[in-house]
Amino acid sequence: MIDRPDWDHYFMQIAAVVATRSTCLRRKVGALLLLNKRILSSGYNGAPSGLSHCLDVGCLREQLMVPSGERHELCRGLHAEQNAIIQAAVHGVAIRDAMLYCTHYPCALCAKMLVNAGVRTLVLNENYPDTLAKELFAEADIEFKFIV
């Protein structure tokens, strides 16, 4: 018998492969937006297109010893979730009612974007220390689950 992954593990494995494109020195994150088991968009964390990557110029947050989950405005990179939303917009793909598969729990900035984009469900692999994000998702009645 063939060992076939269920849908959640299948899409999380794809998100993990997307994360391998990350140019972040601190954390490699991959995200997929899906609707009806169809991938609409993907994203990984890294600098905007055409700009120098943290791999090349270093990480200001690391140099300043900023704790994880704080001072996102100091980062030159976009988050995987942000890039997935942007890629959908650039290509004219509607993501309302989509599911997000992400290797890590979104931060509060991404949470606000996902709420406004109409994403309804999150499937996640790793947690992230952002209490506000959890509060925003709860208030917006967005479902989430962790898978290993």
Side-chain angles (χ1 to χ4, degrees), residues 101-144:
Y101 281 80
C102 194
T103 58
H104 294 72
Y105 199 98
C107 71
L109 295 173
C110 291
K112 292 183 271 187
M113 294 172 121
L114 292 164
V115 167
N116 268 7
V119 173
R120 300 303 315 147
T121 307
L122 310 176
V123 181
L124 310 162
N125 193 271
E126 292 187 37
N127 211 342
Y128 188 72
D130 196 325
T131 305
L132 178 58
K134 291 172 177 60
E135 292 170 4
L136 294 168
F137 286 135
E139 186 176 343
D141 199 29
I142 291 178
E143 301 174 27
F144 70 91

Side-chain angles (χ1 to χ4, degrees), residues 5-67:
D6 62 35
W7 287 110
D8 285 341
H9 287 89
Y10 171 74
F11 288 122
M12 191 58 71
Q13 288 172 3
I14 295 171
V17 170
V18 171
T20 65
R21 291 282 306 154
S22 170
T23 59
C24 179
L25 297 171
R26 297 181 94 179
R27 175 171 294 151
K28 304 221 178 285
V29 181
L32 300 175
L33 288 167
L34 288 90
L35 192 60
N36 300 321
K37 297 180 183 160
R38 300 291 178 254
I39 298 172
L40 303 173
S41 181
S42 66
Y44 54 87
N45 54 331
S49 296
L51 301 186
S52 298
H53 294 287
C54 300
L55 289 172
D56 303 319
V57 298
C59 175
L60 180 59
R61 292 179 71 231
E62 192 71 22
Q63 292 166 11
L64 297 174
M65 295 185 291
V66 175

Side-chain angles (χ1 to χ4, degrees), residues 30-33 40-44 78-91 93 95 100-101 114:
L32 300 175
L33 288 167
L40 303 173
S41 181
S42 66
Y44 54 87
L78 292 156
H79 291 183
E81 306 92 322
Q82 294 168 342
N83 272 325
I85 292 168
I86 291 166
Q87 285 304 306
V90 165
H91 297 288
V93 176
I95 58 172
L100 173 78
Y101 281 80
L114 292 164

